Amino acid sequence: MSKSLRLKSFQPEEEYVYLTYSLKNNKKVKSKILLENYKHLLQKALDWLWERTKIERKEVKKGKKIFAKVKVTLPKKKEVYKVLRDELEKVNNLASHYVDKAINDAYSILNSWRRRAEKGQASLRKPRLRKVYVRVKSTLRKVEGEEVRITVRPYEYVTFSWSHKWFSRRVEGLELGEPVIKEDKVHLPFRYKLPWFTPLDFLSIDSNLYTLDAYDGEKFVTFSLKELYSLKFGMELKRSKIQSFASKHGRKGKVLLRKYSHRERNRVLDYVHKFVNKLLETYPLTMFAVEKLNKQSMFQDADDKLSKKVSRTVWRTIHRVLKYKAPLYGSFVKEVNPHLTSKSCPRCGWVSRKVGRIFKCERCGFTLDRQLNASLNIYLKMCGFPHLFLTPTGSRWVGVIPLKGRRGMNGALPRDSGEAQGLRIGYKFMKIQ
């Protein structure tokens, strides 16, 4: 099957993609007025609803053990909404639309607390408000060019502009959603309409401890993550020393530990964003397939040494950033179940019970590096091909061979000994006989 035939069958799953960017809050004086008044309004709504909330405790006996069961009943929103709104209007110093917002947020806080309290994960005391933010409704904001005007009170506004920002120059046709105002930052969520196209290339990625091994239907490529792993390892050693210091110096140690934790997170995110940007620039208009990994299940099956190595990986962060930025380059990301990808034969589908560094099929003799074999199987799952199938003409093609119209694939495919550093790609072509 040629690549052109595969492109016709592909349709983008989503018509829009949602992106969020942050700005520094340069209007702190007016924002502080909005946040303080809204916090007071939200606290009043929370207190009013808490007085009418019923908490019932029951003892449930299971065998010889007795468990305490909690049931929380909140007042029904339809029954109390009008009365609560009239009460809040008496103390409201903002636009009247903020009253509706405060009621909805209060119910959201109490519903979240109720779910955790009934599971025994939260205390039965009233939820406390700490840092409050305001999500501005569409009725309270007006977009003019590259700035948004937000109503605080009647005829009193606060304006935020994203003109000359890096994301406004890169992406055109952004539609602003509901801005989120905090004390120091303003988050602007945008909706971006995806263009009508289909990807030109396909790339499946197998995530490993030190590398990302990929296959694009024709050749293999290995991306080295040793620099990122070394960064995590070095910061882990520093953090262990700071933790011992923090245990002896109280508040001063906690401040230092928080500083280094933020530094580690920022350095990792900086590396990941640069890596993903180069990857997307190298493979524009591409359908990426990544594994849907679960670290917790890996820890259960691994010893202490391997668990420490797995804990230093940032696979989910790379996948999340790739999924977030791919639409800006005309690409898509698809998550694939990684079950048996390194143990299955891409030619005949035979599953090996135990696989070492090299995968060898006992049925057809197919031999390949284990990690590259996983990328082949991920590629098959992405394109929706089984291991063995018939073409419309009746001829039989197997494995990844029909994707390029090739019939024979014998012999081993040795792994390229020289791994690519960063995004300097090292290719190893398939041997065809």
Side-chain angles (χ1 to χ4, degrees), residues 56-71:
E56 300 178 4
R57 298 180 181 86
K58 294 182 180 179
E59 292 184 354
V60 180
K61 188 175 181 181
K62 291 185 178 180
K64 295 182 180 180
K65 295 183 179 180
I66 299 177
F67 298 91
K69 188 176 181 181
V70 178
K71 184 180 179 181

Side-chain angles (χ1 to χ4, degrees), residues 48 61 109 139 141 196 248 286 293 302 342 358 371 423:
W48 195 91
K61 188 175 181 181
I109 293 171
T139 54
R141 60 116 176 107
W196 289 102
K248 300 176 183 177
T286 301
L293 299 172
S342 60
I358 303 298
Q371 296 176 0
L423 281 174

Side-chain angles (χ1 to χ4, degrees), residues 9 16 38 54 91 176 214 220 240 282 293 357 360 428:
S9 62
Y16 292 94
Y38 184 75
K54 297 180 181 179
V91 296
L176 182 65
F220 295 103
S240 63
T282 308
L293 299 172
R357 183 66 178 174
K360 185 173 183 179
K428 192 67 180 180

